[in-house]
Amino acid sequence: MSPEVNAHSSAKKRYPWLKMTAVSVLVAVLALLGPSLSSRVEGSSLPAQAQVINQRSFNVLNTTQPPAVFNAESLFVPPGYTAESLVKRPFHVYDEEFLKIIGKSPTLTRIAHSPKDPLFHEAVVWSKETDEVFFVQNAGAKDADTGLHKSAIIEKISLADAASVSNKSDAAGLVKVTTVPSSPMVINPNGATNYRGQFIFTGEGQGNNTPPALWLMNPQSPYNTTVLLNNYFGRQFNSLNDVVIHPKNKDVYFTDTIYGYVQDFRPAPGLQDQVYRLNPDSGAVTVVADGFVHPNGLTFSPDGEYAYVTDTGINYGFYGMNYTQAASIYRFDVKKDGTLDNRKVFAFVNAGAPDGVHCDSWGNVYAGCGDGVHVWNPSGKLIGKIYLGTTSANFNFAGKGRMVICAETELYYVTLAADGNYIESEM
Ligand SMILES: *[C@@H]1O[C@H](CO)[C@@H](O)[C@H](O)[C@H]1NC(C)=O
Ligand SMILES: *[C@@H]1O[C@H](CO)[C@@H](O)[C@H](O)[C@H]1NC(C)=O
Ligand SMILES: *[C@@H]1O[C@H](CO)[C@@H](O)[C@H](O)[C@H]1NC(C)=O
Ligand SMILES: *[C@@H]1O[C@H](CO)[C@@H](O)[C@H](O)[C@H]1NC(C)=O
């Protein structure tokens, strides 16, 4: 599909005002006055767990927010909704295209709760062989007591356990969460992906003497690990954040950014924040993109034609927020030689900042944001949300119709119609 053709189709675009006949004027008026998204969608079959959010209903507000009042943390509640009503039916339909993604009866289940310690943070990765999903604790959060004292832990759940409770909305305590004893231990893991039958974790490093690194881990006992890369020509990275494999060239692309520093477990950066590429066979490491505030999540479209990089520029960790910085997803063209070109703004999010990012098998783009997981079509149109009312830093598909969402102190299991963009990266 050509993204441009699909972009924001509006009555205005379909009926340019200049060349209007009487008939087209009538058609245009009918189109503008025609049934709203709500009535079109409600009229068909809206799943019980879904609700329509009509953006036009809040294009004009009686009360708007002056800049000094904005704090990037309180969530926008459109008129006619409440914080409770938004959470009650968590699949928010912004566009009919979202109905195909969620299917007829999507479910959202809270499967674990950790009252204080943010155990459910990032690096959500599915092991196809064991049908388990792995994820990691927040390395920098104060309540995790990690930082310079101890490393963040890796944990996992079984998908069969999650599926057995998927008709409940709250099943916290019913799904076993198991700590994974990686050996030697992956230090401060933050991102992860499947790679040649193993996982690659990005480790953020710790202090001056444990450098950030790419770690390979066996997804099965004894969870043995091997460091794949821990420097750029002798220099330490800042804190490696996320990692993904290109579906065609199979190289390893990863982001490096300042979060270890602004969460007080890494020294001040010695490099600018940027996106790197490793060819594991030759060992070559190159820089493929820079010019971000804080590059964070990254992923590729299923055909490998596009790279998506999130920028959590507004979030300066323990030092606060910079509201005028990026909370954006950038899209690059991936050229035949695997370099990135033509950076463009793909989305600027309306809640928090986009962190972990993944595509489904149709090329739609999902990102963890300040109120849950947002979903855009390939043209960057927001088509829906899986709304939690709280921040999700990352999530992932676990094969067709299944997703696990990390939300710091909460872990969720989702069933829907879409399939993930799983990359088989055989040798
Ligand atoms: C905005 O103000 C108008 C006029 O006072 C009122 O009818 C309407 O209900 C208000 N809308 C909201 C969302 O408060
Ligand atoms: C949920 O699923 C279980 C087992 O599949 C079934 O016994 C139970 O009746 C279901 N509950 C609801 C509310 O659908
Ligand atoms: C784990 O150990 C097995 C057996 O020695 C080896 O084949 C595999 O490559 C190791 N994996 C990692 C990530 O070190
Ligand atoms: C962001 O905000 C922090 C704290 O206010 C400040 O120290 C830092 O320099 C800012 N960074 C940028 C890029 O504006």
Side-chain angles (χ1 to χ4, degrees), residues 195-211:
Y195 181 68
R196 299 185 179 177
Q198 324 217 35
F199 294 148
I200 297 187
F201 283 100
T202 47
E204 291 187 283
Q206 200 172 53
N208 269 307
N209 300 321
T210 304

Side-chain angles (χ1 to χ4, degrees), residues 257-259 262 273 292-296 310-316:
T257 194
I258 55 145
Y259 286 105
V262 297
D273 292 344
F292 301 94
V293 187
H294 305 317
N296 198 314
T310 66
D311 190 334
T312 46
I314 64 166
N315 188 336
Y316 207 62

Side-chain angles (χ1 to χ4, degrees), residues 68-123:
V69 174
F70 175 72
N71 66 13
E73 258 143 42
S74 51
L75 299 174
F76 173 63
V77 177
Y81 300 86
T82 62
E84 294 71 36
S85 76
L86 290 174
V87 170
K88 191 150 184 258
R89 287 185 290 153
F91 295 89
H92 291 183
V93 181
Y94 280 76
D95 189 282
E96 284 146 291
E97 288 180 44
F98 196 51
L99 295 175
K100 177 181 169 197
I101 286 171
I102 60 178
K104 289 198 162 43
S105 50
T107 61
L108 174 75
T109 306
R110 184 170 82 148
I111 54 173
H113 173 59
S114 165
K116 254 182 112 210
D117 184 359
L119 286 173
F120 317 116
H121 181 51
E122 290 215 42

Side-chain angles (χ1 to χ4, degrees), residues 14-35:
R14 276 177 276 140
Y15 307 102
W17 299 108
L18 285 174
K19 293 184 195 156
M20 271 195 180
T21 63
V23 172
S24 67
V25 168
L26 180 64
V27 171
V29 167
L30 286 177
L32 288 170
L33 299 178

